[in-house]
Every structure is written in C-alpha cells, then in structure tokens.
Amino acid sequence: MLASFRQWFGAAGVSPDRPDSTGFFTMTLPGGKTILMDPVNGRDQIVLMAERSSWDEFERPLPGIIRACAETHPKGVIVDVGANTGFYALIASRAAPRARVLAFEPFPLAFETLSRNIAANAGVRIRAVPMAVSDRNGEATLYVPTQEHGLVETSSSLEEGFRSDYGSTQAVPITTLDTYLSNERLAGERVTMIKADVEGHEAAVIAGARATIARWRPLLFLEVLPHGDARAMTSFLAEERYEDVPIRAGVKLRVEPRVEHHWDAWNHALVPAEHLDRFLKLAGSLT
C-alpha cells in the first residue's frame, strides 16, 4: 500500500497544485453540489487523488455508489464507522441533506480534520463522534501504524494483528452501534446505511449492530481485508437474509455466495435480499 501511495503521489507525497495550507479543496459532485475538504498541507490522500483526477477517484466506484444510494433515502440515519477525515460522511450528507449522519473516528489527528471539514461545509447534518465502534462497550487499544508515509493516517485498527509493527498505541472509548443509537434517542429513526472501514474489525462492528440491522435492514458497505473475519460475515448473510456484492471497478456487479477478500474488490456491499435487484440496477450503472 505504501509503495502505491508513493507511485501515485510522487516521491514527496505532495501534489504540486494543491490549495495553500489555509484553503479547502472543493469537490463538485454530480448535480452541482460541492464538498470542501482540508488538504492538510498536502497530506490527505483523498484530496490528492481528487486534485489529480476527479472527486470520486479514491476507492472508485464506491464514492459514486454511496452518493447514489444515499439519494434514494433522503431521511433517516446514515452511519460512517471509521470516518477518517469525513469524505464519505460529507458525500452522504450532501446526497441526503435531511438525513442525520454519524461519523465515528477514534484517532485524534484524523478526528481533528474531520471536525474542521464538517465545520467548513455549511448545512451538513453530521455529528463527529470521537469513539471506536465494536461488539462491546468500554475501552480498547487502538493500534496506530508508523507514519513514514507522511499522509493522514487511515489504517489505525483495534486489531492487534493487523500489522506486524506499530508506531504507537492508545486507549480509546468504544461503543456498539446498538448502544449508541439507543442512548442518543435515535432508536426510532430508520438507519438506512452503515459504512464500516476499520481495518479488519468490521465483523465486530456488525456484531454490535445486530438489533439495529434486524429492525431497519440498512445497506451495509464494508471493507473486507485478508485478516478480517470473513467467516463471521458469511454467517451473517444467512442469518439476516443479506447478499454479498463485491464492489469492482469496470466489472458487472454480481452476488457471491460467501464473503471473502478479493484483490480487486476490497469494498463489499451487503444488501438486504429484498432490495438486491434495486441495488444492482442502481449501483451497476456506476461501475
């Protein structure tokens, strides 16, 4: 991953035409809506990719799919677990301006940028939550990789085995989605979408949201890495009547019988069976 960053961004990891250190980079979404993101002095990889290509270059085609799916549910609650600097939370909020967006980010440096980005985008309904999400409540250790890449860190994890070595660790508060939504008096509001990118801890996020998922049957977007608990996510499919759709660029989307890591599809959509045809038609036009 680090090698690919250097190849894309150049040896210094900085785009030559980025906004200055006090400006925000503007991304124009389909329909003319915009989001503003702090380049963090050339260290935010999402902004760097947008500067060199287009707003949806990062993890394409996932940004466009999340935008389109959010538009179909203008109200309710959208949850972004592992929000980092807020790219997907901002997209969802612009696409569904009446929805509430919860953006969970436990790593303090990323959370600071997330908060700045939310403040810079007038009208978004995003609540930044400085917590990690898991299958229990309390406190856990966040493992932070070494920082030699010079970019805003996107790979902090609650999974100790995610990397062979770490630059630092820190204690962070953790919650389950079921607990948080109940305590925040959001239990009566429909949850339409949950996105989780937590470096191998995705199965635990889902385990702690089973009551929410059973009640509202939201669309789930998960990163599936080689060390993630794919077996637990596959069991979830049968237990909750969901279907797994790996998100690939330039390839027709299709259902697969089990959840597993694919080198060309790190992101997956877990779709309620009753909404599968509609999702494939909508998302398939964007790949």
Side-chain angles (χ1 to χ4, degrees):
M1 182 65 76
L2 177 58
S4 66
F5 285 162
R6 288 173 173 163
Q7 181 180 12
W8 182 269
F9 299 138
V14 175
S15 171
D17 59 350
R18 68 184 189 276
D20 63 33
S21 60
T22 61
F24 283 75
F25 185 77
T26 301
M27 301 183 195
T28 302
L29 310 183
K33 295 180 180 179
T34 62
I35 61 174
L36 302 175
M37 292 191 68
D38 184 351
V40 196
N41 296 319
R43 295 177 57 218
D44 190 309
Q45 62 181 285
I46 298 172
V47 175
L48 288 168
M49 286 187 173
E51 287 178 318
R52 296 193 174 203
S53 183
S54 63
W55 73 274
D56 61 346
E57 180 62 31
F58 180 74
E59 297 189 327
R60 181 182 289 181
L62 186 60
I65 291 174
I66 284 183
R67 181 197 63 81
C69 291
E71 281 187 338
T72 67
H73 296 96
K75 297 182 181 180
V77 177
I78 296 171
V79 181
D80 186 355
V81 180
N84 199 250
T85 59
F87 179 56
Y88 287 113
L90 289 166
I91 290 173
S93 186
R94 286 298 189 220
R98 290 185 289 169
R100 301 193 197 194
V101 180
L102 300 176
F104 291 86
E105 176 51 55
F107 185 49
L109 295 179
F111 183 82
E112 291 172 8
T113 306
L114 168 65
S115 299
R116 288 197 301 274
N117 286 338
I118 292 171
N121 285 269
V124 296
R125 301 183 68 193
I126 304 174
R127 178 188 300 172
V129 185
M131 301 181 73
V133 177
S134 188
D135 56 359
R136 63 183 180 86
N137 302 302
E139 189 175 86
T141 300
L142 184 70
Y143 298 88
V144 182
T146 57
Q147 303 293 295
E148 72 274 7
H149 49 66
L151 301 170
V152 176
E153 182 56 56
T154 63
S155 298
S156 299
S157 177
L158 296 182
E159 297 290 325
E160 183 177 5
F162 173 52
R163 294 282 182 90
S164 59
D165 63 330
Y166 292 89
S168 64
T169 61
Q170 60 188 85
V172 296
I174 61 173
T175 184
T176 70
L177 286 181
D178 286 343
T179 298
Y180 188 89
L181 292 170
S182 176
N183 289 346
E184 291 298 312
R185 300 180 182 178
L186 296 173
E189 294 191 39
R190 181 182 181 188
V191 177
T192 62
M193 186 187 306
I194 298 172
K195 168 249 162 188
D197 183 346
V198 287
E199 311 306 329
H201 202 66
E202 287 77 8
V205 172
I206 297 307
R210 291 295 288 266
T212 298
I213 292 169
R215 180 175 184 183
W216 299 117
R217 300 189 62 72
L219 183 62
L220 309 176
F221 289 100
L222 308 178
E223 185 179 53
V224 179
L225 297 178
H227 63 281
D229 193 347
R231 179 177 297 181
M233 288 187 272
T234 297
S235 296
F236 166 83
L237 297 178
E239 293 164 3
E240 296 292 346
R241 295 186 299 110
Y242 270 67
E243 302 286 353
D244 174 42
V245 182
I247 304 297
R248 294 181 171 92
V251 177
K252 183 178 180 180
L253 298 182
R254 64 178 185 270
V255 174
E256 297 199 355
R258 66 184 62 86
V259 179
E260 57 186 0
H261 171 74
H262 301 282
W263 69 268
D264 61 341
W266 287 24
N267 295 299
H268 291 227
L270 302 192
V271 186
E274 66 271 21
H275 299 315
L276 179 63
D277 289 344
R278 182 171 64 176
F279 173 79
L280 291 176
K281 181 177 181 180
L282 177 64
S285 65
L286 300 169
T287 60

